[in-house]
């Protein structure tokens, strides 16, 4: 074996560039029937299929493409979590406001009940005083009748 045959053995083979991209079979999908999650799955599937077609068996390139797809997925998940947090924030604030309002109303109700109890006690005391005065006036009238 001479050196040129050894060099030829280790020479990288050029991979023909595909001018014609393989197309995924497109199905007519009504967006109203398809959920967002199904759409995302289909998008990731198409992206992975396209990347694997482009790499033509080169595992390092495929690994880079898959890392990019995974990074895109992580970013989308992070954005969705932030979006959910923002959407929940107004609900959480409203719930806290209502809890505060309920606590304030409970305290107000307790105060009113205490006030009602004191007023009832005052009414009872006044009724006893009125009855005592009636009794005293009757006794006084009786004494006056007896004197006259």
């Amino acid at each position: 074996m001479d050196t040129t045959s050894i060099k030829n053995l280790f020479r990288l083979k050029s991979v023909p560039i595909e001018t014609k991209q393989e197309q995924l079979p497109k199905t007519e999908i009504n967006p109203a029937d398809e959920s967002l999650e199904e759409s995302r799955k289909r998008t990731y599937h198409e992206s992975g299929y396209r990347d694997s077609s482009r790499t033509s068996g080169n595992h390092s390139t495929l690994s880079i493409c898959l890392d990019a797809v995974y990074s895109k997925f992580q970013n989308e998940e992070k954005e969705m979590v932030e979006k959910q947090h923002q959407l929940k924030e107004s609900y959480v604030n409203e719930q806290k406001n209502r809890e505060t309002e309920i606590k304030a109303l409970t305290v107000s109700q307790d105060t009113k009940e205490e006030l009602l109890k004191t007023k009832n006690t005052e009414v009872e005391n006044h009724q006893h005083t009125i009855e005592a005065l009636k009794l005293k006036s009757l006794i006084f009238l009786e004494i006056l009748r007896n004197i006259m």
Side-chain angles (χ1 to χ4, degrees):
M1 255 189 171
D2 61 343
T3 57
T4 55
S5 62
I6 293 175
K7 287 181 183 178
N8 287 338
L9 181 64
F10 289 107
R11 184 176 300 167
L12 293 176
K13 294 181 180 179
S14 62
V15 178
I17 299 173
E18 294 181 21
T19 57
K20 180 182 171 188
Q21 290 262 341
E22 292 182 28
Q23 295 290 327
L24 286 176
K26 293 189 177 184
T27 56
E28 294 298 320
I29 298 174
N30 187 357
D33 295 340
E34 182 179 21
S35 73
L36 181 63
E37 188 65 27
E38 290 172 350
S39 174
R40 287 181 60 209
K41 285 179 184 177
R42 184 174 40 79
T43 303
Y44 286 123
H45 184 285
E46 289 173 355
S47 177
Y49 183 80
R50 185 175 49 250
D51 290 342
S52 67
S53 297
R54 288 182 188 158
T55 60
S56 301
N58 188 342
H59 64 84
S60 57
T61 308
L62 181 60
S63 175
I64 291 169
C65 290
L66 291 177
D67 287 341
V69 169
Y70 184 68
S71 295
K72 179 182 175 186
F73 170 76
Q74 283 181 323
N75 289 337
E76 285 180 3
E77 286 299 313
K78 183 179 176 183
E79 289 174 4
M80 287 178 63
V81 167
E82 289 174 0
K83 196 182 259 186
Q84 285 178 354
H85 180 69
Q86 288 174 351
L87 292 174
K88 286 181 182 179
E89 189 173 342
S90 63
Y91 171 75
V92 169
N93 288 339
E94 183 178 341
Q95 187 176 10
K96 287 180 181 178
N97 289 341
R98 293 200 182 208
E99 287 174 357
T100 304
E101 186 178 338
I102 289 171
K103 287 179 184 177
L105 290 173
T106 303
V107 168
S108 175
Q109 181 182 8
D110 292 342
T111 305
K112 300 266 186 201
E113 287 175 356
E114 287 296 320
L115 183 63
L116 183 63
K117 285 180 184 178
T118 57
K119 293 295 180 183
N120 284 338
T121 306
E122 287 178 15
V123 167
E124 287 176 5
N125 289 339
H126 288 307
Q127 284 177 346
H128 290 304
T129 305
I130 290 170
E131 288 177 14
L133 288 174
K134 281 182 183 178
L135 186 60
K136 285 182 182 179
S137 67
L138 287 176
I139 293 173
F140 183 70
L141 284 175
E142 196 61 40
I143 292 173
L144 281 178
R145 279 192 199 145
N146 287 340
I147 295 178
M148 293 192 174

